[in-house]
Every structure is written in C-alpha cells, then in structure tokens.
Amino acid sequence: MSAEPDGPEDRLRRFATIWSRAVFPATSTSLTRPEFEELLLPLARRLSEALRARTYDAAEGRAVGAALVEAHCTEPEALSRALDCVDAYLVLYCGGDGHQEDLRARAARLQSAMAAGYAEALRQRTLAEQEAIARAALEAQGAVARALHATEARFRAVFEGAAIGIGIADLDGNILQVNGALLRMFGVTEQTMLGRCVVEWTHPEDAPQVWRLYEELVRAEREHYHTEKAFHRPDGTVLWTNLTVSLLRDADGNPQYQLALMEDTTERRLLNLRLRYEATHDALTGLPNRTLFFERLEKALAAGDGQRFGLCYLDLDGFKAINDSLGHAAGDRLLVEVADRLQSCATAPGEMVARLGGDEFVALTTGPDTESEVDDLADRIMNALVTPVRIDGRELLVRGSIGIVEGPAGERGPAEVLRSADITMYRAKSAGGNRYEVADAEADARAITRHGLTTALPAALDRGEFFIEYQPLVHLGDGTVRGAEALVRWLHPQHGVLGPDRFIPLAERTGLIVPLGRWVLEQSVRQAREWQRRHGGTGPLRVNVNLSPCQLTHPGLVQDTVEILERAGLEPDALCLEVTESALIGADDDLLKPLRRLSEMGIDIALDDFGTGYSNLANLRRLPVRVLKLDRSFTQGMQQFPADPVDLKIVEGIVSLAHSLDLAVTVEGVETGAQAEQLRVLGCDTAQGWYYARPGPPERLHELALVDATG
Ligand code: C2E
Ligand code: MG
Ligand code: MG
C-alpha cells in the first residue's frame, strides 16, 4: 500500500475512521472502536470502488447495508448516521478526480441501496430469529401432541407459558383454543376469540399467496406455511405478525387441526419504516431528500412509452445573504416555510417535491402530459413565493430561480437530467433571477463545453497548451512596422485552436488569468527582446500585451512586470500594456495607482477598444494613458465608399481631442487599403488589421519588419 501522506489509501482510511466514529456509538457491538474501524475498512473500500466503478451496481451498496446489520449496527440511530456519513464524506475522500455531479448521483444511489440492504438484512435476521422460535415451538408442538396423548395438565403448561401466540382451529377454520399471549396481542378476551373463523381475518395488506397456502394446508396438501401477516385489532390498530401455521394429525396420521404460532413484529416493522423514512427524508423540512428524489426520478425516467417527466429545479436567490445577516436559525425557518409552500404546489398524483440540500429544491411531475403541466407547476411555485415570509417580525422577500427540464421517459439518465436542470437554473439566475428558464439542448451543450474548458484550464497552462500570435502595428505615415500585439491562443487537445474570447472570460472567473497573464507577459517581453537583438538598427520593435481587469487589481502586478523586464533585459518603453476602456470606467485612485507607477517607469498604457465603453472623454486626462486604441466598430463604418460622414466626424473629433491631450491613436480592424488611407487622412498614428497581417507566429513579424524597412 502507498505510504504517501495523502494517497488514495490514506483517504480511504480517513473515511473509514470518520465513519467508525459516527456509527460506533450507535452499535451494540462488543468490539472496541479501533477494532470496529478495521471492520468498516473493507466496507469503505467496497463503497469507494462502487462509487468509481464504470457501471453502477446496487448489489454493492446492499451488501454494505447488510454487513452493517451483521456488525450489530442495529440501534435505531445506526443507519441514519452511517448514511449521513456516506453522504458527507464518501465523494470527498474517495471520489478521486471524477465528475462531481456524477459522483454525487452515484453516492446517492449507493445510499439508497445501503438502506435497502440494511432493511432487508434486518428483516432476514428477524425472520431467522422467528424461525428459531417457531422451530422451538414446533418442537413444543410435538411435545403438545405427546402431552395431548399423555397428560392434559402438561399440555396446558406449555400452551399457556409460551411467549408466542398459539391458536388451534379445526380444518374449517373455527377457532377452538388460544393462549394468553395471542389474546394479549389482539387485545381481546377469550370469549370474543373462540368460535370465530380464521378466514374472517383478511387484511388489505395480505400477500397474494397467503390464502392459497391456507387452502392447501386445510386440504392437507402441505404440512405448514410461514408468512408475514397483518391483522385488524378491535381498537382499529394493526397487528403485524410472523405467522407459522402447521397441520396437526391425529395418532393415525389423519389431518385434524391447524396450529398457528405467531409473533408480534409490529414494533420492529415500525422501526424499519422509520429507518427507511429517516434515510429518505430531510430532517429540517420533512421533505423527501436527494436519495428518495433520485429513486423517483429514476423510476420516472424508466417509465414506458408515452410517459414523460417534467422537472423544476429551484434555487433561492440571495439565500446566503439572509443566512449571513439573520443567522442560521432564521435561515432554517425560511427553508421550512418555503418547503411547506412548495409542498402545497405539488399535490396531484405523480407530483413530488424534494429538498436536494441547502436552498435547492426540486419539483417533479410525471405522466403523459407533463409538457403542459410543468410550466403550470413552475408558475405555481413562483406564485407561492410571492408572499413575503415573516420571521422575527421581519417580512422577508423570497425569490427563486427555476430551471425546467421536460421530456419523454427513456432517453436520459437522472444525472444528465439534473445537470441540465442545474445549468438552466443558472441561466435563470444570470438573467437576473426571480424567473424560470426552460432547458434547451444547445444551451446545455455550450455550458457543458464551457464547464469542460474551465476545468481543463489549470492543467493546460502546466502542459504548455497556450501559445502566442503576434499582429503587427503599422505606422500610418511611413508604413513601417513599429511593434506587435501579443494575442494568446489555446491549442486544446480536443477542440483545436481556441481564440481568447472562448477562454479568457473563464480564466478571469477562475483566477487563472493571473498566472496565464504573467506567462503571456513573460513570453512577449522575451520575444520583443529577441526581435531587437536580431533587428537592431531600425528603431526598437515594441510589444503590446493585454491586461485583464483581474490582473489590474492583483497586488503583484508592478513587481512582476519590473522583474520580467529586468530578467529579459528589455527597456520599459518597448512595452505597452493594453487595458480595456470598460475596466477603467469609474476607476478610483487605488485602481489607477499601479498603472500610474508602470507609466512613470516608462511603460506605455493603451486604452483598448476605445469608444465601446461610453467613457467620459474629459476623464481621459485623469488616466495614466498614452495611447487610444480605437475600436474596430469605427473602422467598419469606413468600409463602404463614401464612408459614413458621421463616423468620419466622430473619429476626427476623437483624434484631435487625443492629440490635444498628447495621446497617440491606434486604429484596430483595418481590412482594406481604402480604410487605411482614410484613417491616415484623419490623423490616426498607427494601425492594426488584416490589411497588413493577420495575427501569426513571431518569425513572420521579423520578416514583415525587414521588408518594410528595406522596401
Ligand atoms: P483586442 O485586444 O481588441 O485584440 C484585437 C482583436 O481583433 C484580436 O482578436 C485580433 O485577432 C482581431 N483583429 C485584428 N485585426 C482584425 C481585422 O482586421 N478584422 C477583424 N475582424 N478582427 C481583427 P483575438 O485575437 O480574438 O482577441 C480578442 C481579445 O482577446 C483581444 O481583443 C483581447 O481583449 C483579448 N486577449 C487576447 N490575448 C490576451 C491576453 O494575453 N490577455 C488578456 N487579458 N486578453 C487577451
Ligand atoms: Mg488588445
Ligand atoms: Mg482591441
């Protein structure tokens, strides 16, 4: 086994330790806690393997549940503690690097299999115990028979002294004799019992074969049968029994009586039901929990032709804020109130509401007409949330976002359906919340790729999957190449080359933009130094590098940049950092300070995509900016001939304002010679665009610059 401090084996061991600590107090085992942990370790391993196995095997979960009964974990608390622990820690410690939602779904199914295995094992054990008692009783019956022949007195003693209920009837079912234990079970007197007929004792929950077995016995076609059977008590309650009925023959072997031995299992049955209830319901709200919901969803998705399902996945808006500001007790009360309201929205047959955890709820509707029903269900839920909730004298507004998935049974699995609902719910949230959205396959696919890309990003940087293309910046006056903008790309192993628009926003959201941006800066600065070394003489070639808003607020920005320049031996004035206009709108002094420091060192700052952010032109004076990069949309307006006169006026105005503030103007997206000429006439300084070159490898720029310098 691995001796590494944090290998899978250690994690498994840790899970077994936590599990044993949780369950041990609720066992009646004679083992010590460490011994008990050793006993759980192989069970933990089974769960861990079943969790990650390619296909789900309910038998594994059931076996673990059964093993818990074997290990004497039969106190009322034991199962729920074991399940809680699996719920909280199995995926965490044993999930490996699998897909979280799939792992959670698998863990939920394993829990329900454990609960089933546990209940079944408990039932089997009870039956086995009953069997032993019944066998003893049958032996007693032998004794009874003998005693019948011998002395009536001894028979009486055995009959009356038995702890289990004993009754004797003739073969027509007329009850002849019962003992005290049986009378106590039924809560009746001997008088009311005697003379009644066995066949009156039907109960709606009788197993289908019970009365067939009875008929066979009284026809002497079988010697005995064994079953679980319910009886009505006169007080209206139900008595559950383990019942063994035997045929009694006379001394000559002719069938004469039937003998019933029964043990009261009502309590144990209730306990089992309670255990099952606890394992499948949320303790706070009493709603069905994730486990039960998955069972129902699975069933709904496996239903036959013509059956459909509709799912509303609800997440409360801003619940965390309520929890944080009013405390968890208030948050809990809010959840209980929401649960009650949701419950009243889904009362029709085939509908259910469950709490998945936290402030996430689901409502499910099944049947042939969910296409029209599911929208109604979502409307009912939204309406139910409208009235504010009163807590501690405050009126709390409750809002929620719902993702709806609807479709035919038999096409998708529960994990996939839930993932789609989750994605759709997030779509409703990002559209402002307090609304519902309906899942569509295309949006799902986009979100899934986005999710896939996000999770693949960190490793991509380590694996060297990013590369940089450079696009020349050309002087409009003399046509020489003055530098280039560094544009990052990702060579994704499956999706091929991805442009920055596909992954920069994701990198910003996950924070990876900081190391990625630093890498781009490092590469580009080194590249600029390389161009200068090979291309001395004709003026320095500069490099433009884009900075994200997150990098701007990162405390290491100035220090990192200085170090990178020094290490490469590049002068600061050969570097231009591009910051988008939108990142600087409303920027305060704190945000501008690092930019100011960089600018003071001689690094140029360019305002990228200028003209898209509606910034106040008068504000430009405040900013430590030396270059305006006019957005592509202005250049596009000049594509037709003659160019739009309003566009021309605007560009002319911006250029003259920029020049009066001592700012240089670069134009982006120049695609034709006519545009270039127009922009030159308007006074723009530098241009960038496909007319000159598309972004390309660094060597290309070197060639271009040489051609320009010589030609
Ligand atoms: P940007 O800084 O405005 O970069 C210019 C974009 O316009 C580039 O798209 C470029 O390929 C494209 N372009 C250049 N000439 C033409 C033309 O003539 N016509 C048209 N239609 N497009 C042209 P790209 O490479 O897809 O980059 C998109 C944006 O991604 C960049 O916009 C920049 O904001 C961001 N970006 C690129 N690299 C980095 C990076 O290393 N770090 C950060 N933070 N952002 C980056
Ligand atoms: Mg740029
Ligand atoms: Mg730009």
Side-chain angles (χ1 to χ4, degrees):
M1 294 287 113
S2 152
E4 274 179 72
D6 227 343
E9 200 56 31
D10 302 284
R11 297 172 70 81
L12 182 70
R13 164 62 73 177
R14 219 170 305 152
F15 172 64
T17 309
I18 296 174
W19 199 16
S20 70
R21 289 213 178 101
V23 179
F24 184 73
T27 60
S28 44
T29 173
S30 55
L31 300 179
T32 64
R33 219 272 306 153
E35 286 167 345
F36 183 64
E37 181 179 324
E38 287 310 317
L39 190 115
L40 286 190
L41 188 60
L43 302 184
R45 191 182 309 283
R46 268 184 107 152
L47 285 179
S48 166
E49 280 161 9
L51 178 70
R52 284 172 286 107
R54 182 184 299 273
T55 55
Y56 169 67
D57 184 2
E60 287 299 299
R62 280 201 299 272
V64 172
L68 288 176
V69 173
E70 187 103 301
H72 303 284
C73 302
T74 48
E75 299 291 310
E77 277 276 87
L79 178 63
S80 55
R81 286 188 185 207
L83 292 177
D84 281 350
C85 194
V86 170
D87 189 50
Y89 299 104
L90 180 64
V91 171
L92 190 65
Y93 283 110
C94 306
D97 48 11
H99 185 282
Q100 281 299 311
E101 189 61 47
D102 290 344
L103 288 170
R104 292 223 58 86
R106 174 71 64 87
R109 296 175 75 184
L110 281 172
Q111 284 173 62
S112 99
M114 273 174 70
Y118 185 91
E120 175 58 21
L122 207 54
R123 200 177 73 84
Q124 287 301 340
R125 206 181 71 168
T126 311
L127 282 182
E129 283 170 9
Q130 299 323 312
E131 207 87 63
I133 294 174
R135 218 176 304 118
L138 276 177
E139 278 158 19
Q141 168 210 335
V144 169
R146 263 174 272 123
L148 261 176
H149 299 298
T151 71
E152 181 68 20
R154 266 174 70 199
F155 163 70
R156 275 267 141 226
V158 173
F159 192 71
E160 277 310 326
I164 56 172
I166 305 177
I168 297 175
D170 64 22
L171 295 180
D172 295 325
N174 300 308
I175 296 166
L176 306 175
Q177 217 168 2
V178 291
N179 72 352
L182 190 136
L183 293 173
R184 282 192 294 281
M185 277 185 210
F186 278 79
V188 293
T189 60
E190 195 164 12
Q191 285 86 319
T192 45
M193 190 59 102
L194 295 183
R196 287 191 62 179
C197 188
V198 170
V199 291
E200 293 168 22
W201 273 333
T202 58
H203 189 275
E205 294 208 48
D206 284 343
Q209 75 279 13
V210 165
W211 292 105
R212 182 175 51 78
L213 293 174
Y214 174 83
E215 290 300 331
E216 287 172 10
L217 183 116
V218 295
R219 285 200 303 263
E221 290 163 14
R222 64 165 54 241
E223 292 305 309
H224 45 80
Y225 67 89
H226 184 88
T227 184
E228 246 190 313
K229 181 165 166 29
F231 295 91
H232 290 294
R233 287 198 187 102
D235 67 0
T237 58
V238 178
L239 165 71
W240 275 94
T241 62
N242 267 323
L243 174 68
T244 305
V245 182
S246 307
L247 187 64
L248 292 186
R249 295 175 185 268
D250 64 16
D252 303 326
N254 298 317
Q256 194 174 17
Y257 300 114
Q258 47 177 322
L259 170 74
L261 303 166
M262 53 178 79
E263 212 225 359
D264 184 347
T265 58
T266 314
E267 297 260 301
R268 179 149 283 170
R269 204 183 151 83
L270 283 177
L271 172 71
N272 274 346
L273 288 177
R274 212 190 78 212
L275 284 176
R276 159 88 190 148
Y277 183 88
E278 278 176 10
T280 54
H281 287 75
D282 171 44
L284 176 66
T285 62
L287 287 183
N289 66 8
R290 203 182 175 87
T291 305
L292 185 54
F293 171 70
F294 258 84
E295 271 175 28
R296 291 283 174 81
L297 181 61
E298 208 157 41
K299 209 181 279 171
L301 294 176
D305 269 356
Q307 293 298 306
R308 304 181 69 88
F309 73 96
L311 182 76
C312 297
Y313 189 116
L314 168 75
D315 187 288
L316 299 184
D317 297 338
F319 178 69
K320 190 177 167 331
I322 294 180
N323 239 354
D324 290 348
S325 57
L326 301 183
H328 285 256
D332 281 356
R333 263 182 292 157
L334 181 79
L335 290 175
V336 171
E337 174 65 28
V338 168
D340 285 350
R341 292 186 188 184
L342 293 181
Q343 185 106 70
S344 64
C345 293
T347 48
E351 292 181 341
M352 91 177 287
V353 168
R355 179 178 177 218
L356 295 187
D359 60 342
E360 289 173 18
F361 297 88
V362 277
L364 178 68
T365 162
T366 54
D369 301 316
T370 56
E371 234 169 329
S372 56
E373 286 164 3
V374 74
D375 288 349
D376 291 344
L377 181 59
D379 280 329
R380 287 202 298 277
I381 293 175
M382 294 308 272
N383 279 332
L385 297 180
V386 165
T387 324
V389 177
R390 262 194 97 76
I391 286 174
D392 295 340
R394 272 171 219 259
E395 303 254 298
L396 296 180
L397 273 185
V398 188
R399 296 276 178 262
S401 304
I402 297 180
I404 297 181
V405 181
E406 196 281 332
E411 287 186 357
R412 289 183 280 179
E416 193 187 336
V417 166
L418 216 63
R419 180 159 52 219
S420 171
D422 188 36
I423 289 169
T424 312
M425 182 276 290
Y426 270 105
R427 194 142 51 78
K429 259 208 197 306
S430 35
N434 192 26
R435 72 190 63 217
Y436 61 79
E437 294 279 344
V438 181
D440 82 273
E442 231 172 78
D444 279 13
R446 253 181 286 128
I448 288 167
T449 342
R450 216 181 313 135
H451 175 79
L453 290 183
T454 310
T455 47
L457 263 174
L461 187 57
D462 296 336
R463 282 198 223 113
E465 291 173 1
F466 293 102
F467 67 98
I468 302 175
E469 288 191 319
Y470 297 87
Q471 189 177 33
L473 289 155
V474 178
H475 192 262
L476 278 168
D478 58 14
T480 56
V481 174
R482 294 295 173 93
E485 177 173 9
L487 295 161
V488 66
R489 277 92 181 81
W490 178 3
L491 180 58
H492 189 283
Q494 275 107 48
H495 303 295
V497 176
L498 300 176
D501 295 339
R502 292 288 300 279
F503 61 87
I504 291 284
L506 306 178
E508 281 174 343
R509 220 171 307 145
T510 55
L512 189 84
I513 190 68
V514 172
L516 176 61
R518 195 184 300 130
W519 179 83
V520 172
L521 185 65
E522 217 160 15
Q523 296 295 309
S524 315
V525 161
R526 223 184 289 154
Q527 186 58 56
R529 179 76 191 107
E530 175 68 14
W531 285 328
Q532 293 187 346
R533 209 173 47 73
R534 294 226 258 148
H535 188 57
T538 44
L541 269 176
R542 297 150 41 94
V543 72
N544 283 30
V545 177
N546 292 287
L547 277 193
S548 275
C550 305
Q551 290 173 274
L552 274 186
T553 51
H554 191 264
L557 175 66
V558 176
Q559 182 71 17
D560 282 356
T561 311
V562 171
E563 278 173 16
I564 287 170
L565 286 172
E566 278 175 1
R567 224 175 304 137
L570 190 76
E571 295 303 317
D573 62 6
L575 175 65
C576 176
L577 294 175
E578 299 191 1
V579 183
T580 58
E581 184 192 8
S582 50
L584 292 188
I585 289 180
D588 57 11
D589 275 347
D590 278 348
L591 187 72
L592 294 178
K593 206 179 281 167
L595 282 184
R596 229 168 243 137
R597 297 256 330 264
L598 293 167
S599 164
E600 283 157 11
M601 283 185 307
I603 296 170
D604 278 352
I605 309 292
L607 206 51
D608 203 354
D609 302 344
F610 185 79
T612 56
Y614 312 102
S615 64
N616 183 348
L617 288 177
N619 232 352
L620 281 176
R621 206 178 322 186
R622 274 182 60 233
L623 303 177
V625 166
R626 228 167 287 171
V627 182
L628 286 192
K629 287 192 82 173
L630 269 192
D631 188 67
R632 206 162 60 219
S633 49
F634 292 101
T635 340
Q636 262 155 10
M638 287 169 205
Q639 228 145 17
Q640 72 268 41
F641 189 83
D644 181 347
V646 179
D647 266 355
L648 290 183
K649 272 261 163 296
I650 295 176
V651 174
E652 198 175 12
I654 293 177
V655 171
S656 78
L657 176 79
H659 285 167
S660 73
L661 291 172
D662 224 9
L663 302 177
V665 178
T666 300
V667 284
E668 298 185 294
V670 178
E671 294 181 358
T672 65
Q675 286 172 328
E677 180 54 19
Q678 187 73 262
L679 291 159
R680 190 187 63 78
V681 172
L682 288 172
C684 298
D685 304 283
T686 338
Q688 176 181 357
W690 297 347
Y691 172 59
Y692 305 101
R694 299 215 174 205
E699 308 80 59
R700 275 260 309 283
L701 188 90
H702 190 62
E703 290 157 17
L704 277 171
L706 279 179
V707 169
D708 279 324
T710 54

